[in-house]
Amino acid sequence: MSKRKIVVALGGNAILSDSPTAEAQKQALKDTAKQLVKLVKNGDELIITHGNGPQVGNLLLQNIAADSEKNPAFPLDSLVAMTEGSIGFWLQNAMQNELTKAGIDKSVATVVTQVLVDKEDPAFENPTKPIGPFYSEEEAKAEMEKSNDTFKEDAGRGWRKVVPSPKPKGIKEIDAIQTLIDNKQLVIAGGGGGIPVVEAADGTLEGVEAVIDKDFASQTLAGLIDADLFIVLTGVDNVYVNFNQPDQKKLENVTVAELEEYIQQDQFAPGSMLPKVQATMAFVSEKPGSKAVITSLENLENLIESDAGTIITAE
């Protein structure tokens, strides 16, 4: 099999086990690294992205709990950067150790990544991404009165702060990432969707209170580095239609046109599978002849040996 440039987007299950402790998450990433290093052994060039939803939520809670005049809570862009650094370190360390065990002389580098978003993105006028703890309606209204934050009722479970989820437009560090790839480094980038920044007329950047969907950020990265394959790892081996129904159907080889039909039928949950499907569709549509795969970490070895998972192609 010829050498491929592969972007792998890790889902939360590749990082977070039942326990939110640092030790448990590091152990989960050690297990993840054992699977991912198989791609390197196969001769592939690997670029890894990852989510940070639970981690940034926990960090937000810690900041809220400790918030005071002497120890003020950090803004969301800084919390994303902090989780990019911590998860990046755990994953970088785990991958480096697995490469060493495999006798592969390759360095691993984590890039704290600023992802450009448009300050005119309609998402800023309609925040939808829930973050942080649940509040009662009274508590939420009190919070809104003393801040500029927006709170919305979340599926009958209470009220939560919501922030914008703008679409990624570019990656500021893309040249640095490409240089590392060109020098045969294994790169970790775009963690948690990257840190959302807007660019002023003079070219300066400023972080904004928002969360970028990590699947769309990963797809943007894959396109910019001209990846051959985009793999989105999640909790299931395949994408399904009519999920959990008697006529449930596993998707194995599927085209963009077929997926568009399924989206029209509301087959994919907006908060989970839909962005993964849309991101893979966008990747293969923009690069003729490429393919994307949605599958589980456990199914990765089958994917290396033969086609496995849900394989998405343009036609």
Side-chain angles (χ1 to χ4, degrees):
M1 187 179 290
S2 60
K3 181 177 178 180
R4 302 164 297 179
K5 191 189 297 181
I6 303 176
V7 170
V8 175
L10 297 180
N13 62 314
I15 306 167
L16 192 64
S17 60
D18 293 335
S19 169
T21 65
E23 285 306 315
Q25 292 180 77
K26 285 194 280 186
Q27 183 57 53
L29 282 168
K30 287 177 185 176
D31 297 337
T32 296
K34 288 176 184 175
Q35 299 295 328
L36 292 179
V37 82
K38 293 172 183 176
L39 289 167
V40 184
K41 288 179 180 177
N42 192 53
D44 296 316
E45 205 67 61
L46 188 59
I47 302 92
I48 307 171
T49 69
H50 61 81
N52 72 339
Q55 294 82 6
V56 80
N58 288 345
L59 190 55
L60 179 67
L61 286 173
Q62 292 166 12
N63 271 252
I64 290 169
D67 187 31
S68 67
E69 189 175 333
K70 289 186 177 180
N71 185 31
F74 280 25
L76 188 57
D77 54 349
S78 296
L79 300 182
V80 172
M82 292 163 87
T83 54
E84 260 201 290
S86 58
I87 297 170
F89 157 60
W90 295 336
L91 181 54
Q92 180 175 314
N93 179 264
M95 288 300 301
Q96 193 73 71
N97 288 341
E98 285 302 315
L99 290 168
T100 298
K101 289 177 189 175
I104 299 171
D105 183 17
K106 183 183 283 285
S107 294
V108 186
T110 300
V111 179
V112 175
T113 313
Q114 299 176 95
V115 175
L116 296 162
V117 298
D118 187 348
K119 61 184 176 183
E120 302 300 328
D121 190 305
F124 287 108
E125 296 299 318
N126 180 33
T128 56
K129 181 72 174 177
I131 62 167
F134 288 94
Y135 293 87
S136 68
E137 185 174 357
E138 293 74 22
E139 289 169 333
K141 287 179 177 176
E143 288 289 329
M144 283 191 278
E145 282 181 12
K146 69 180 185 182
S147 71
N148 292 322
D149 294 339
T150 302
F151 285 75
K152 291 183 180 178
E153 199 273 333
D154 186 358
R157 296 178 295 174
W159 289 63
R160 294 177 79 189
K161 178 178 176 177
V162 290
V163 297
S165 186
K167 290 288 171 62
K169 306 295 288 184
I171 294 173
K172 189 62 181 175
E173 290 77 20
I174 195 63
D175 289 345
I177 292 167
Q178 188 63 62
T179 298
L180 289 165
I181 295 167
D182 290 345
N183 283 277
K184 312 303 179 190
Q185 311 301 299
L186 194 157
V187 182
I188 301 163
I195 305 156
V197 295
V198 295
E199 189 168 14
D202 63 359
T204 56
L205 303 174
E206 183 178 1
V208 290
E209 185 91 347
V211 172
I212 300 168
D213 184 279
K214 63 99 177 162
D215 295 310
F216 289 121
S218 301
Q219 173 254 317
T220 299
L221 175 61
L224 288 170
I225 65 167
D226 196 29
D228 302 301
L229 177 63
F230 177 35
I231 302 174
V232 178
L233 296 180
T234 185
V236 290
D237 289 350
N238 290 77
V239 180
Y240 290 83
V241 293
N242 304 322
F243 188 59
N244 276 344
Q245 297 175 29
D247 57 346
Q248 173 177 290
K249 175 186 171 186
K250 177 168 69 173
L251 300 182
E252 294 180 301
N253 290 279
V254 63
T255 66
V256 168
E258 289 169 327
L259 287 171
E260 284 172 348
E261 284 187 29
Y262 291 136
I263 289 171
Q264 292 297 316
Q265 299 168 14
D266 292 327
Q267 287 283 357
F268 310 121
S272 58
M273 193 56 76
L274 181 60
K276 294 173 176 49
V277 169
Q278 290 175 323
T280 53
M281 289 167 65
F283 173 73
V284 299
S285 297
E286 291 170 10
K287 184 175 181 182
S290 65
K291 68 179 182 179
V293 181
I294 302 174
T295 193
S296 67
L297 180 69
E298 294 74 22
N299 204 33
L300 196 60
E301 190 160 7
N302 293 328
L303 174 61
I304 294 169
E305 293 175 357
S306 62
D307 285 345
T310 295
I311 300 166
I312 300 100
T313 53
E315 296 177 352

